[in-house]
Amino acid sequence: MTELDELSSHIASLEIGSSVPLRSEFRMPLLGLGVYQVTKPETISACLAAFEAGYRHIDSAQVYRNEAGKLHYIQAPPGSS
C-alpha cells in the first residue's frame, strides 16, 4: 500500500466526531468549518448550521475579521434564552 493509499483510507474513515487526543485531557476535532473570507452575517448562520450538524471546531483567525459572528453564536446559542 502506498502512502497515498494509506492517507486516502484514513480520510475515508473520518466522521463528524473524529478527534485526536492532545497532551492534556482534551481532544481536538479533526473536521472543522473554515470561515476565511466569510462575512459576519454569513458566519453566524454558517456556525449555527455547523454546530447543529455536529461540528465542534471552527477554523478561524483574528486576521479574518469575522470574530463577532462566531462570538454571537457561542455567547447565545439557540434555545439558551
Side-chain angles (χ1 to χ4, degrees):
M1 178 180 272
T2 68
E3 285 184 37
L4 183 56
D5 291 333
E6 188 174 339
L7 178 60
S8 296
S9 173
H10 288 297
I11 291 172
S13 66
L14 285 177
E15 297 177 358
I16 195 73
S18 296
S19 64
V20 293
L22 300 177
R23 291 184 182 190
S24 63
E25 73 273 14
F26 299 103
R27 297 186 66 84
M28 182 177 71
L30 289 173
L31 297 175
L33 173 72
V35 293
Y36 178 59
Q37 294 186 338
V38 178
T39 65
K40 178 183 172 184
E42 290 172 329
T43 301
I44 293 169
S45 61
C47 287
L48 174 61
F51 283 119
E52 287 177 353
Y55 283 81
R56 294 297 176 259
H57 172 78
I58 304 298
D59 179 15
S60 125
Q62 186 175 16
V63 73
Y64 298 172
R65 298 181 170 263
N66 58 6
E67 298 90 8
K70 294 181 295 298
L71 289 175
H72 172 84
Y73 178 78
I74 292 167
Q75 291 172 348
S80 66
S81 52

